[in-house]
Amino acid sequence: MRLGEMAERLGCRLEGDGERDVLGVGALEDAGPTDVTFVTDARHLPRLHASRAGAVILPDSLPADRPVLRTGNPYLTLARALAMFHPSEACPAGIHPTAVVSSDACVDPTAWVGPLCVVAPRAAIGARTVLDAQVFVGAEVWIGCDCRVFPQVTLRERTRLGDRVIVHSGAVIGADGFGYARDGARCVKIPQVGRVVLEDDVEIGANAAIDRATLGATRIGRGTKIDNLVQISHNVQVGEDTVIAGQSGIAGSSQVGSRVTFAAQVGVVDHVRIGDNVVVGGQAGVTKEIPPGSIVLGSPAVPHLEFKRQLAATARLPQLRKALRTLEERLRALEARLER
Amino acid sequence: MRLGEMAERLGCRLEGDGERDVLGVGALEDAGPTDVTFVTDARHLPRLHASRAGAVILPDSLPADRPVLRTGNPYLTLARALAMFHPSEACPAGIHPTAVVSSDACVDPTAWVGPLCVVAPRAAIGARTVLDAQVFVGAEVWIGCDCRVFPQVTLRERTRLGDRVIVHSGAVIGADGFGYARDGARCVKIPQVGRVVLEDDVEIGANAAIDRATLGATRIGRGTKIDNLVQISHNVQVGEDTVIAGQSGIAGSSQVGSRVTFAAQVGVVDHVRIGDNVVVGGQAGVTKEIPPGSIVLGSPAVPHLEFKRQLAATARLPQLRKALRTLEERLRALEARLER
Amino acid sequence: MRLGEMAERLGCRLEGDGERDVLGVGALEDAGPTDVTFVTDARHLPRLHASRAGAVILPDSLPADRPVLRTGNPYLTLARALAMFHPSEACPAGIHPTAVVSSDACVDPTAWVGPLCVVAPRAAIGARTVLDAQVFVGAEVWIGCDCRVFPQVTLRERTRLGDRVIVHSGAVIGADGFGYARDGARCVKIPQVGRVVLEDDVEIGANAAIDRATLGATRIGRGTKIDNLVQISHNVQVGEDTVIAGQSGIAGSSQVGSRVTFAAQVGVVDHVRIGDNVVVGGQAGVTKEIPPGSIVLGSPAVPHLEFKRQLAATARLPQLRKALRTLEERLRALEARLER
């Protein structure tokens, strides 16, 4: 592809020689003269100067030293450029002969059920959906169209996936929620008879665990992205276009709004509500309702300005103690003087 | 079933029309006129008033607006009511033709070995135990009666499960403990030749990891419940009826008593002892022995009253600094006055 | 084996009767008269006195009460003694008939591909490497010699493993990194077209997740050991002989040096650099560059002496407030006196 054509398809403004050939997209250190690279931040400009890349995707604010694809949103341009050079593999269709598919299951003829998958009775698998190898699809699971389920995923009975859902390897969708009643000292299991619903365009990371509801549904809203090793507990409701980074956990029945951002290793207690557009910092522990639009940090989580104030004050504690001792001495001197 | 019969079978006091038909149990928002719902806390009473449920499970302390099943322990009553309407599926028996079962393994004729399971030599599987699809059972693993092992569980060699043990999908029981000796800068693996023992009535969550002992056994005591994504390291000993919530981790050789409660994302260092009936708050980091009956919070974990005092004091630090500055000014004024 | 021979093979100094028979290695409480046990720390000496073990591995500093294998490095001696009595099982060779191996894959004739494994096209598996049951090996994955891949591991396409790499059950190597561009409120997936490289002698714990790079490679250096449930994000670079304990997570593009030690549940933000020989305490949150050789604790992580000072100061906050109030009273008294 020529650079000019690439600029046009990506909706970028071209600066420099549009006749140049482009064969791929590469990181700064790996890209060669036929590759496009990208820089999103001024601190990487020295690495750009050292790069052999033939062209670069740049935001409007950064100076260029070679042909440029100008964009207001370099990550989005990068996503599109990568998709251009790395189209999804052609989707195979059919059922691998080693898969164990119930005669009661309904698999669209354009879908693919890979080797050593298990598809239980009354499951339904939509058009062009790909189940990689060794996937488990429980009874009455419904999977929409154009989904990708990577190897060794478990979808427990009655889970629902919308369209274009991606589930990464090792994720377990629909395991029993962690619910017990005490009978004296003993724990009696509360049957978890609800389900999990993953709406359209949801993506779930490797080895994540999304538990089924006790009654009703645990729900992950449209377009929400969940990273590896995240736990979503029973009856949790997550809104749309929310992003939850790795190893975070949300306890039972909590509600998370739309367009919320969780950094990694966040914990949220049960039965709280987190408003829309909230940002929760890494390792924060949310213990109560968070109003929409807040930024919170710390464990227990507090508004970020308060957190920073507390952090600064804690760091100055030794000085504070010293100042107190100085005051005490001055006071003692005054007292002594007045005694005289 | 009629409501009166349900009350009798659940051991509840009936208030209202016992002739009413009940077809199921539902959450407040989903239940219809033929469903029983439940409320455990006064703050949900407005949602009860809006519910279409035909009857409600209520603790003694809450006022009713419709037929009631009265109980001293609403969660236990809920557990029993759900079990009444959702009996476990009939247990199939036998070995699926796609399972790979060693001729040296011993599978009870009433047990079920599902599709694409692997059962290694000298493994033993007890009566009415169900291995769902794609389970791995290593050499010399012993599994008791009435266990349920969900899809894609790995039970490494020589693991022992008692009776009525439940292991959720993706859990790995008996992987090597994380033990190395340093030989200069290099790590030399210490062979992990012990095993894991899960006693009767233990439940292990999805994608949890319970490591085998270096020597001897990592042991999870009778009735203990472990949530998703929890790590139990080599040689850990956990007592009975203990509850460990999601994403917690216990480092090597630590001992946890009976009837202990861990909230989520707790960490425990190696070689410490946590007494019986301890409660550890969410995200706490236990770094030393915790006496029986304590409640601890924070990282490093301290008694909860101390934690709350520290938290309050930290929140008031800016005020403290301000008070100090005020004192300083008053002192300076006094000093100046005495100079004159 | 006789104790004298064992001492010689382990390079230990023998104290006591070298003719004594040794049949195995056992923990203090389990060892019998024909077992060797081990003690690394004086606080376990009372347990040694109570032990029935016939001999003991001891560091130079501890007193003996029975025949001793003296060593400067008791853990290394233990590792070698265990390896002596528990040699790895004889490596089977070949492909189990239920494995699904592409005719385009290249499996060394001395390697073993266990039951119900899947090996995709153009994968290559080296000499004496063992793939346990139900392993997934994606397209163009290269695995070196003498590796061990435990049941239910997923190795996504184009992953590279060096020699003597060990991957534990449930680990997912090469899942897509967590990368999205925002297009308005919506998240657009950035294709993750890089790979994962695990160099020689790396070990990866159960249910860990090592994500593929966006471009280029996520790399784990030679001899590095990673515990269960750890997340390594896209484009992370980890050096050699580093040890990362359970449930830690490293965010995208961060760089970790060689001979670094992470305690458990550590978090590292994206795009930071951690120098060689750094030690990071449990539950720490690394938010910025850490110079080589540092020891850091806390969230956000600070040098350990600073952390301890802050911790102590926080614990004394209630006293500090009290001291301030006392000062205030004394000052008020002085002021009143001067008013008179």
Side-chain angles (χ1 to χ4, degrees):
Chain A
M1 189 181 308
R2 271 174 309 187
L3 189 62
E5 183 191 347
M6 190 173 168
E8 199 176 310
R9 283 174 59 184
L10 293 173
C12 291
R13 203 171 70 244
L14 172 70
E15 294 174 13
D17 175 14
E19 294 306 301
R20 195 176 272 267
D21 275 327
V22 182
L23 301 178
V25 180
L28 283 166
E29 279 74 19
D30 304 330
T34 57
D35 291 320
V36 171
T37 191
F38 69 104
V39 170
T40 57
D41 192 298
R43 76 193 149 121
H44 299 307
L45 287 177
R47 292 169 58 210
L48 175 60
H49 296 325
S51 173
R52 296 168 50 245
V56 60
I57 296 168
L58 274 184
D60 298 327
S61 54
L62 296 184
D65 60 355
R66 69 196 72 200
V68 171
L69 301 173
R70 282 287 173 196
T71 169
N73 188 339
Y75 282 113
L76 186 57
T77 300
L78 174 65
R80 288 174 177 160
L82 283 168
M84 197 181 290
F85 287 101
H86 301 268
S88 315
E89 316 121 72
C91 169
I95 297 175
H96 192 275
T98 61
V100 177
V101 178
S102 166
S103 58
D104 270 4
C106 177
V107 179
D108 188 279
T110 63
W112 168 246
V113 179
L116 303 170
C117 287
V118 172
V119 181
R122 297 175 302 287
I125 297 172
R128 298 169 305 280
T129 281
V130 173
L131 306 187
D132 253 297
Q134 300 159 322
V135 169
F136 177 81
V137 178
E140 297 176 48
V141 168
W142 294 356
I143 306 180
C145 301
D146 299 296
C147 292
R148 178 77 189 259
V149 184
F150 282 97
Q152 301 184 2
V153 163
T154 292
L155 306 176
R156 285 270 309 274
E157 68 275 14
R158 288 183 292 112
T159 293
R160 299 277 179 276
L161 273 64
D163 296 334
R164 298 172 303 281
V165 171
I166 300 171
V167 185
H168 287 283
S169 293
V172 176
I173 315 296
D176 291 358
F178 193 65
Y180 304 93
R182 286 279 181 186
D183 186 9
R186 302 238 171 163
C187 294
V188 175
K189 185 176 174 71
I190 300 177
Q192 304 289 310
V193 304
R195 62 163 56 114
V196 172
V197 175
L198 307 180
E199 295 182 356
D200 294 347
D201 298 299
V202 162
E203 184 163 356
I204 305 289
N207 287 339
I210 318 287
D211 281 354
R212 67 197 309 109
T214 308
L215 294 163
T218 303
R219 184 174 299 269
I220 310 295
R222 185 202 46 71
T224 285
K225 312 298 185 184
I226 292 182
D227 199 0
N228 301 340
L229 293 160
V230 166
Q231 155 140 17
I232 305 289
S233 302
H234 50 181
N235 299 87
V236 165
Q237 309 292 312
V238 179
E240 302 189 347
D241 297 317
T242 280
V243 171
I244 301 179
Q247 297 178 318
S248 292
I250 303 179
S253 299
S254 284
Q255 292 177 267
V256 175
S258 294
R259 299 170 305 285
V260 170
T261 302
F262 278 52
Q265 297 184 332
V266 165
V268 177
V269 302
D270 57 294
H271 288 94
V272 298
R273 190 186 292 254
I274 295 180
D276 291 342
N277 300 302
V278 164
V279 175
V280 184
Q283 297 189 325
V286 175
T287 59
K288 57 184 187 193
E289 173 149 358
I290 307 286
S294 316
I295 303 173
V296 297
L297 289 171
S299 176
V302 293
H304 73 300
L305 293 176
E306 191 178 327
F307 179 78
K308 285 176 180 167
R309 245 189 329 258
Q310 287 180 12
L311 205 65
T314 302
R316 285 187 305 239
L317 264 179
Q319 287 168 252
L320 192 68
R321 293 176 60 80
K322 210 169 152 187
L324 194 74
R325 271 196 301 274
T326 307
L327 271 192
E328 198 160 24
E329 278 157 31
R330 283 163 60 187
L331 189 58
R332 196 175 307 127
L334 270 193
E335 285 168 341
R337 190 162 156 186
L338 287 173
E339 285 311 313
R340 269 185 275 129
Chain B
M1 189 182 309
R2 271 173 311 187
L3 189 62
E5 183 192 345
M6 189 174 169
E8 199 176 309
R9 283 176 58 184
L10 294 172
C12 291
R13 204 171 70 245
L14 172 70
E15 295 174 13
D17 174 15
E19 295 306 301
R20 194 177 271 267
D21 276 327
V22 181
L23 300 178
V25 180
L28 283 166
E29 279 73 19
D30 304 330
T34 58
D35 292 321
V36 171
T37 190
F38 70 104
V39 170
T40 58
D41 192 298
R43 76 195 148 119
H44 298 307
L45 286 177
R47 292 170 57 209
L48 175 61
H49 296 325
S51 172
R52 294 168 52 245
V56 59
I57 296 168
L58 273 185
D60 297 329
S61 54
L62 296 184
D65 62 354
R66 68 196 74 199
V68 172
L69 301 173
R70 281 286 175 197
T71 170
N73 188 339
Y75 281 113
L76 185 58
T77 301
L78 173 65
R80 289 175 177 159
L82 282 169
M84 195 180 290
F85 286 102
H86 301 269
S88 315
E89 317 119 71
C91 168
I95 297 175
H96 193 276
T98 61
V100 178
V101 179
S102 165
S103 58
D104 270 3
C106 176
V107 179
D108 188 279
T110 62
W112 169 245
V113 178
L116 303 169
C117 287
V118 172
V119 181
R122 296 175 304 286
I125 297 172
R128 297 171 304 279
T129 281
V130 174
L131 305 187
D132 253 297
Q134 300 160 321
V135 169
F136 177 82
V137 178
E140 297 177 46
V141 168
W142 294 357
I143 305 179
C145 301
D146 299 298
C147 292
R148 178 76 189 260
V149 183
F150 282 97
Q152 301 184 2
V153 164
T154 291
L155 306 176
R156 284 269 309 275
E157 67 276 12
R158 288 184 292 112
T159 293
R160 299 277 180 274
L161 274 63
D163 296 334
R164 297 172 303 279
V165 171
I166 299 171
V167 185
H168 286 282
S169 293
V172 176
I173 315 296
D176 291 358
F178 194 63
Y180 303 92
R182 285 278 181 188
D183 185 9
R186 303 237 170 165
C187 295
V188 175
K189 185 174 173 73
I190 300 176
Q192 305 288 310
V193 304
R195 62 164 56 116
V196 172
V197 176
L198 306 181
E199 296 183 355
D200 294 346
D201 298 300
V202 163
E203 184 163 356
I204 304 289
N207 287 338
I210 319 287
D211 280 355
R212 65 195 312 107
T214 308
L215 294 163
T218 303
R219 184 175 298 271
I220 309 296
R222 184 202 47 71
T224 285
K225 311 299 185 185
I226 292 181
D227 199 359
N228 300 340
L229 293 161
V230 166
Q231 155 140 14
I232 305 289
S233 302
H234 50 179
N235 299 87
V236 165
Q237 309 292 312
V238 179
E240 303 190 347
D241 297 317
T242 279
V243 171
I244 300 178
Q247 298 177 317
S248 293
I250 304 179
S253 300
S254 285
Q255 292 177 267
V256 176
S258 292
R259 298 170 305 283
V260 170
T261 302
F262 278 51
Q265 297 184 332
V266 166
V268 178
V269 301
D270 57 295
H271 289 93
V272 298
R273 190 187 291 255
I274 296 181
D276 292 340
N277 299 303
V278 164
V279 175
V280 184
Q283 297 188 326
V286 176
T287 59
K288 56 184 188 192
E289 173 150 357
I290 307 287
S294 317
I295 303 173
V296 297
L297 289 172
S299 176
V302 293
H304 73 299
L305 294 177
E306 191 178 327
F307 178 78
K308 284 177 181 166
R309 248 191 325 261
Q310 287 180 12
L311 204 65
T314 303
R316 285 187 305 238
L317 265 179
Q319 287 168 251
L320 192 68
R321 293 176 60 80
K322 209 169 153 186
L324 194 74
R325 272 196 299 273
T326 308
L327 271 192
E328 199 159 23
E329 278 158 29
R330 282 163 60 186
L331 189 59
R332 195 176 306 130
L334 271 192
E335 287 168 340
R337 190 162 155 185
L338 286 174
E339 285 310 313
R340 268 183 275 129
Chain C
M1 190 181 308
R2 269 173 315 186
L3 189 61
E5 183 192 346
M6 189 173 169
E8 200 176 308
R9 285 176 58 183
L10 294 173
C12 292
R13 203 170 71 245
L14 172 70
E15 294 174 13
D17 175 14
E19 294 306 302
R20 193 178 273 268
D21 276 329
V22 181
L23 301 178
V25 180
L28 284 166
E29 279 73 20
D30 305 329
T34 58
D35 291 321
V36 171
T37 191
F38 69 105
V39 170
T40 58
D41 191 299
R43 75 194 149 119
H44 298 307
L45 287 176
R47 292 169 58 209
L48 175 61
H49 297 324
S51 173
R52 294 169 52 246
V56 60
I57 296 168
L58 273 185
D60 299 327
S61 54
L62 296 184
D65 61 354
R66 69 195 73 201
V68 171
L69 302 173
R70 281 287 174 197
T71 170
N73 188 339
Y75 282 113
L76 185 57
T77 300
L78 174 65
R80 289 174 177 161
L82 282 168
M84 196 181 291
F85 287 102
H86 300 269
S88 314
E89 315 121 69
C91 169
I95 296 175
H96 192 276
T98 61
V100 178
V101 178
S102 165
S103 57
D104 271 1
C106 176
V107 179
D108 187 279
T110 63
W112 168 245
V113 179
L116 304 170
C117 286
V118 171
V119 180
R122 297 174 302 288
I125 297 172
R128 296 170 306 279
T129 280
V130 173
L131 305 186
D132 253 297
Q134 299 159 323
V135 169
F136 177 82
V137 178
E140 297 176 47
V141 169
W142 295 355
I143 306 180
C145 302
D146 299 298
C147 292
R148 178 76 189 260
V149 184
F150 282 97
Q152 301 184 2
V153 163
T154 291
L155 305 176
R156 285 269 309 274
E157 68 276 12
R158 289 183 291 112
T159 294
R160 300 277 179 274
L161 274 62
D163 295 334
R164 296 173 305 280
V165 171
I166 300 172
V167 185
H168 286 281
S169 293
V172 176
I173 315 296
D176 291 358
F178 194 64
Y180 304 92
R182 286 278 180 187
D183 186 8
R186 302 237 173 165
C187 295
V188 175
K189 184 175 175 72
I190 299 176
Q192 304 289 309
V193 304
R195 62 164 56 114
V196 173
V197 175
L198 307 180
E199 296 182 355
D200 294 347
D201 298 300
V202 163
E203 184 163 356
I204 304 290
N207 287 338
I210 319 287
D211 280 355
R212 68 196 308 108
T214 308
L215 294 163
T218 303
R219 184 174 299 269
I220 309 296
R222 185 201 46 72
T224 284
K225 312 298 185 185
I226 292 182
D227 198 1
N228 301 338
L229 294 161
V230 166
Q231 156 139 15
I232 306 288
S233 302
H234 51 181
N235 299 86
V236 166
Q237 309 292 313
V238 180
E240 303 189 349
D241 297 317
T242 280
V243 171
I244 300 180
Q247 297 178 318
S248 292
I250 303 179
S253 300
S254 284
Q255 292 177 266
V256 176
S258 293
R259 298 171 305 283
V260 170
T261 302
F262 278 52
Q265 297 184 333
V266 165
V268 177
V269 301
D270 58 294
H271 289 93
V272 298
R273 190 186 292 255
I274 296 180
D276 293 341
N277 300 302
V278 164
V279 175
V280 184
Q283 296 189 326
V286 175
T287 58
K288 56 182 187 197
E289 173 151 356
I290 308 286
S294 317
I295 304 175
V296 298
L297 289 171
S299 176
V302 293
H304 73 300
L305 293 176
E306 190 178 328
F307 179 77
K308 283 176 182 168
R309 246 190 328 261
Q310 287 180 12
L311 205 65
T314 303
R316 284 187 306 238
L317 265 179
Q319 288 168 250
L320 192 69
R321 294 176 59 80
K322 211 169 151 186
L324 194 74
R325 272 196 299 273
T326 307
L327 271 191
E328 197 158 24
E329 278 158 30
R330 284 164 59 188
L331 189 60
R332 195 175 309 128
L334 271 192
E335 286 169 339
R337 194 164 150 185
L338 287 173
E339 287 308 314
R340 267 184 276 125

